[in-house]
Amino acid sequence: MRAAVYDPGAPQSTSVVDQAAPKLHKKGFCRGGVLCEVRSCGANPVDAKFVIGDKFPESWLPWASRRVAGSTPGFDFSGVVIDAPAGSGFAAGDEGFGVAEDPA
């Protein structure tokens, strides 16, 4: 799958990369989560703080940069369900919106 990830070395602090899509487990991805193809997502103020780094002491910036490097920005999104655990109430093709979990 294609994903935007934080990349401190990139001009806009993000890069688009190819990576393996998450796999559905018997109980869902996390607490009953579903796999969605994201069609749109918001630029959250928290994402901007990671890129700008203005809420960290200057001595923490190298750590903060390493902490977010390679992770996918964004919290809220809308899209289409690709896979969902049985009994979740969702099926492939359903449209919806949600909140992404921190993959770390």
Side-chain angles (χ1 to χ4, degrees):
M1 72 175 203
R2 289 182 35 191
V5 297
Y6 288 114
D7 180 355
Q12 299 297 320
S13 298
T14 57
S15 293
V16 175
V17 299
D18 289 315
Q19 62 186 33
K23 301 291 183 208
L24 183 64
H25 301 292
K26 289 181 184 178
K27 296 183 180 178
F29 297 97
C30 50
R31 295 191 300 273
V34 299
L35 179 62
C36 291
E37 177 183 326
V38 174
R39 298 284 174 90
S40 89
C41 64
N44 194 296
V46 174
D47 296 313
K49 298 301 179 194
F50 279 129
V51 171
I52 298 167
D54 67 347
K55 295 299 179 190
F56 294 108
E58 191 170 331
S59 62
W60 289 21
L61 292 179
W63 170 85
S65 180
R66 287 191 309 273
R67 167 64 178 89
V68 300
S71 64
T72 303
F75 292 96
D76 47 333
F77 67 91
S78 64
V80 177
V81 174
I82 294 174
D83 200 359
S88 69
F90 294 96
D94 287 349
E95 294 181 331
F97 65 93
V99 178
E101 274 210 347
D102 182 0

